[in-house]
Amino acid sequence: MATVLIADDDPDICYLLELHLGRAGHEVISTSDGAQALEAYAAHDIDIAVLDVSMPDKSGLDVIRSIRAGDRRPELPIVLLTALAHPDDRERGLQAGANDYVTKPFSLRGLVTLVDRLLAEGRSPRRWID
């Protein structure tokens, strides 16, 4: 069982992710903004994070940059889950250090599969290459 950090300001998305990731056997910690996500990351042993990009206080990109710059699990697998679907948005997300970029609407089954795959691979962040 892995501990999954979810940060999304949409409570319905958090609920659905909690439900489906929980059914997949994961412990889920949900937050509604980037600052809370960083607090949860510091307080818990997080195995993977699923972050919205557009959130109050700190964006998902801010959270990724803080995690990647820190000494505590900078290799943490991180998925960005966002409504921002422009290729430039995807590029910014991957450049910030996301392992993957998923746009809304999304498949819950596909997201659970992605989380499980990233956990199994233990991948380090992808870097965008021009």
Side-chain angles (χ1 to χ4, degrees), residues 12-122:
D12 293 331
I13 297 244
C14 286
Y15 173 76
L16 288 171
L17 291 176
E18 288 172 18
L19 183 66
H20 287 270
L21 289 166
R23 284 183 183 161
H26 302 298
E27 178 184 347
V28 179
I29 299 169
S30 290
T31 63
S32 61
D33 66 52
Q36 291 175 3
L38 286 173
E39 289 172 13
Y41 171 74
H44 300 279
D45 188 20
I46 304 297
D47 296 301
I48 189 166
V50 179
L51 310 173
D52 188 7
V53 173
S54 302
M55 294 184 289
D57 204 9
K58 290 187 181 290
S59 74
L61 298 177
D62 294 332
V63 173
I64 290 174
R65 290 182 189 111
S66 293
I67 290 172
R68 297 293 184 236
D71 293 331
R72 185 174 187 262
R73 296 233 31 226
E75 78 290 351
L76 181 79
I78 300 174
V79 176
L80 285 175
L81 178 63
T82 179
L84 301 174
H86 192 276
D88 290 345
D89 297 317
R90 178 179 170 78
E91 181 178 346
R92 276 190 289 282
L94 295 173
Q95 284 178 338
N99 292 78
D100 217 318
Y101 193 97
V102 177
T103 56
K104 298 173 185 175
F106 62 99
S107 159
L108 285 163
R109 184 181 302 168
L111 186 66
V112 171
T113 300
L114 174 60
V115 165
D116 289 340
R117 181 177 56 81
L118 288 172
L119 286 166
E121 292 176 359

